[in-house]
Amino acid sequence: MDVFELIRDETNRYALDFFDGPSVEDDLPRTSRFRDWEDATLDEIKIVTAMQIGMGLCWKPDIEDYFEGQYLIGTSGFSYYMSRNRYELISSFFHFNNNADRVPRGEDGYDPLFKVRPLLDLCISTYRRYYLPKRELSVDESMTKFKGRTFLRQYMPNKPIRYGLKIWALCESSTGFCLNWSVYTGRREVPGDYGLSYDVVRDVSHDFMNKGHHIYMDNFFSGPKLFLDMKDDNTGCCGTVRPGRVGIPAAIRNERLRKGDPPFFMQSGCLVAVAWHDIKRVHALSSVHEPGPVQKRLRHKDGEGGYRNVEKPAMIDQYNKYMGGVDSFDQQLGTYGYEHKSQKWYMPLHHRIRETALVMVTFFTKL
């Protein structure tokens, strides 16, 4: 089914369910815009979507400001295609699934993302259908802004967006092209054998295994068990690692290093671990790099000629080069960000899906 057809059908169904409720029309104020409801057409759904894209490109404090008639501050294109009342009326009933099919929490088959599941299934699978990514990919967490009430909301104090819905994303390192993402829905009732970080990487990269990719990740995800299992699927991994992870040798944690000392390597089979101290202590793990440093010339105010020479582990140098795919994607999403608030938690996900599609379209136009 087409995305716009899905939204049209479920929006009209949701409105019908609303008006079929007991004494709804009697309880509505006489001047309520709900009394003017008529089923939305496919063209109207496309117009509303186009308006939301325009609102992301041309930010104004309130929805009403886009329909302002004064020539100096107005945006005539909005009111030309749809009145403000009609826009807000359709937006009030925007929906993506049939509430009658919802399984209550605690019962078998319950889906925390039920409200937006059909839209996720339709759109996310198309990201990788028309593009063959390069070898280097990166996995990281992202945030979609939302401050309303939902058990899905997370607080991430070190992120630019501190309150919102947490996203696990897989992107191409060099371009930020989004290949897959999933929403964090909280602790699983049946946790995996090797922890959340292991399951996340395996889930988002499932369709890219056995293709020779190298996946870069930070220390939340990295671990010997994950790297070995990914290697068995012909997929290399590299990332910073927490020294307390199961399988990390104690010598890596206990090695005393000072700034300027050469990096300390340990190898077991295909896995290479390193401890290095430059500005601060860093530990890394890789299944695709050999132990050894590269010579780097870095700016330093006290160095000769304003530079200093550093022996930097090759795997950390490659990590710094290829880890930023998800951050690059987040920056591109900001170009189309729809900043107007919603009390419905699934609407920010709808906006993210649309904004992701816009980034993908922009990417293809540059090829």
Side-chain angles (χ1 to χ4, degrees), residues 18-32:
F18 173 82
F19 289 111
D20 282 346
S23 305
V24 169
E25 291 194 10
D26 295 337
D27 294 338
L28 289 175
R30 185 171 57 86
T31 57
S32 172

Side-chain angles (χ1 to χ4, degrees), residues 142-298:
S142 177
M143 291 286 282
T144 294
K145 184 185 299 184
F146 182 69
K147 292 187 177 182
R149 297 184 62 181
T150 174
F151 74 93
L152 297 173
R153 190 186 68 176
Q154 300 290 309
Y155 174 61
M156 301 289 290
N158 297 324
K159 291 288 185 179
I161 299 176
R162 292 185 295 171
Y163 290 94
L165 308 178
K166 184 189 290 187
I167 306 292
W168 310 115
L170 175 73
C171 296
E172 186 181 50
S173 296
S174 59
T175 62
F177 188 95
C178 182
L179 300 163
N180 195 12
W181 58 272
S182 64
V183 183
Y184 175 60
T185 57
R187 183 180 300 176
R188 299 184 180 183
E189 294 183 4
V190 182
D193 294 334
Y194 305 109
L196 173 65
S197 58
Y198 178 97
D199 293 340
V200 167
V201 176
R202 298 287 291 183
D203 289 345
V204 299
S205 62
H206 179 268
D207 292 329
F208 298 91
M209 294 181 187
N210 293 301
K211 297 181 179 179
H213 287 292
H214 295 173
I215 301 180
Y216 292 79
M217 60 198 77
D218 64 22
N219 60 19
F220 176 79
F221 304 99
S222 300
K225 173 62 178 174
L226 171 64
F227 282 24
L228 289 173
D229 288 351
M230 296 291 281
K231 190 69 173 180
D232 290 340
D233 291 323
N234 191 29
T235 303
C237 294
C238 176
T240 55
V241 67
R242 297 174 182 176
R245 287 277 191 189
V246 174
I248 297 297
I252 287 288
R253 299 195 299 270
N254 299 331
E255 181 69 15
R256 295 183 178 181
L257 295 173
R258 294 180 299 176
K259 185 174 181 178
D261 289 346
F264 176 72
F265 291 94
M266 293 189 72
Q267 183 171 9
S268 176
C270 68
L271 292 183
V272 177
V274 64
W276 180 55
H277 192 109
D278 186 40
I279 297 176
K280 63 179 182 178
R281 185 72 172 263
V282 179
H283 301 88
L285 186 68
S286 176
S287 63
V288 295
H289 297 96
E290 296 293 329
V294 292
Q295 298 295 324
K296 304 293 289 188
R297 186 169 172 82
L298 306 179

Side-chain angles (χ1 to χ4, degrees), residues 20-227:
D20 282 346
S23 305
V24 169
E25 291 194 10
D26 295 337
D27 294 338
L28 289 175
R30 185 171 57 86
T31 57
S32 172
R33 68 167 63 95
F34 286 171
R35 292 184 176 273
D36 298 328
W37 172 257
E38 295 179 358
D39 281 355
T41 65
L42 189 62
D43 286 342
E44 285 181 319
I45 296 298
K46 292 179 179 180
I47 290 172
V48 169
T49 302
M51 286 183 170
Q52 291 175 347
I53 294 173
M55 291 174 185
L57 295 172
C58 177
W59 185 85
K60 293 189 177 184
D62 297 307
I63 296 295
E64 292 83 355
D65 295 337
Y66 293 98
F67 299 88
E68 175 61 54
Q70 296 186 21
Y71 77 95
L72 188 60
I73 60 174
T75 44
S76 57
F78 287 84
S79 57
Y80 178 82
Y81 288 101
M82 183 176 288
S83 68
R84 188 199 72 185
N85 278 346
R86 184 60 177 169
Y87 172 83
E88 293 189 337
L89 185 56
I90 294 176
S91 298
S92 299
F93 291 113
F94 235 54
H95 225 67
F96 315 104
N97 210 344
N98 184 2
N99 285 339
D101 297 334
R102 185 180 183 185
V103 177
R105 186 185 301 185
E107 297 185 9
D108 291 340
Y110 167 70
D111 182 6
L113 301 175
F114 169 83
K115 288 281 190 179
V116 74
R117 177 61 64 189
L119 197 60
L120 290 172
D121 292 343
L122 275 173
C123 294
I124 292 181
S125 61
T126 64
Y127 297 160
R128 53 190 176 272
R129 188 179 302 166
Y130 304 104
Y131 181 69
L132 181 64
K134 298 178 182 178
R135 183 180 64 178
E136 289 78 16
L137 312 177
S138 64
V139 172
D140 204 355
E141 57 191 15
S142 177
M143 291 286 282
T144 294
K145 184 185 299 184
F146 182 69
K147 292 187 177 182
R149 297 184 62 181
T150 174
F151 74 93
L152 297 173
R153 190 186 68 176
Q154 300 290 309
Y155 174 61
M156 301 289 290
N158 297 324
K159 291 288 185 179
I161 299 176
R162 292 185 295 171
Y163 290 94
L165 308 178
K166 184 189 290 187
I167 306 292
W168 310 115
L170 175 73
C171 296
E172 186 181 50
S173 296
S174 59
T175 62
F177 188 95
C178 182
L179 300 163
N180 195 12
W181 58 272
S182 64
V183 183
Y184 175 60
T185 57
R187 183 180 300 176
R188 299 184 180 183
E189 294 183 4
V190 182
D193 294 334
Y194 305 109
L196 173 65
S197 58
Y198 178 97
D199 293 340
V200 167
V201 176
R202 298 287 291 183
D203 289 345
V204 299
S205 62
H206 179 268
D207 292 329
F208 298 91
M209 294 181 187
N210 293 301
K211 297 181 179 179
H213 287 292
H214 295 173
I215 301 180
Y216 292 79
M217 60 198 77
D218 64 22
N219 60 19
F220 176 79
F221 304 99
S222 300
K225 173 62 178 174
L226 171 64
F227 282 24

